[in-house]
Amino acid sequence: MKPGPRDGFRWNRETIVYAFELWNRRYLCSPTVDEWRRAGPDHPSVSTVRQVFGSWNRGVKAAGLRPRRPGEARGGEAPSVAPRESTLVRW
């Protein structure tokens, strides 16, 4: 398992659930795997979550959250999609 944010720290069920709860308080939604990977070093890795809970979704559910489906936007926001090249304006 990946060490945590300080020496001697190890991620366990309780601290992973707490990390998910903190995410939910900040963003008002459950994290996706891609968002979690970009979240920074103070989070357990995706592989650590899977190792502890058996799957990503089980970890999210253990925190009392609903896993988001692929492509599901955060709290009503439209999913971020790169603009098509044909819609770009050339100056």
Side-chain angles (χ1 to χ4, degrees), residues 11-32 36 39 42-44 49 53 56 58-66:
W11 292 104
N12 59 35
R13 292 180 70 84
E14 292 82 22
T15 56
I16 294 170
V17 164
Y18 184 64
F20 280 134
E21 290 170 350
L22 290 176
W23 176 281
N24 183 267
R25 288 180 200 162
R26 182 173 186 176
Y27 299 107
L28 303 176
C29 65
S30 58
T32 64
W36 198 255
D42 291 339
H43 292 78
V49 173
F53 291 100
W56 175 260
R58 285 185 194 148
V60 172
K61 288 177 184 177
L65 304 174
R66 182 185 61 81

Side-chain angles (χ1 to χ4, degrees), residues 25-82:
R25 288 180 200 162
R26 182 173 186 176
Y27 299 107
L28 303 176
C29 65
S30 58
T32 64
V33 169
D34 288 337
E35 290 169 339
W36 198 255
R37 284 187 175 133
R38 295 187 307 259
D42 291 339
H43 292 78
S45 68
V46 171
S47 61
T48 297
V49 173
R50 288 179 175 153
Q51 182 178 1
V52 171
F53 291 100
S55 76
W56 175 260
N57 285 345
R58 285 185 194 148
V60 172
K61 288 177 184 177
L65 304 174
R66 182 185 61 81
R68 288 171 32 211
R69 291 182 290 258
E72 183 178 345
R74 286 186 185 177
E77 295 176 14
S80 60
V81 177

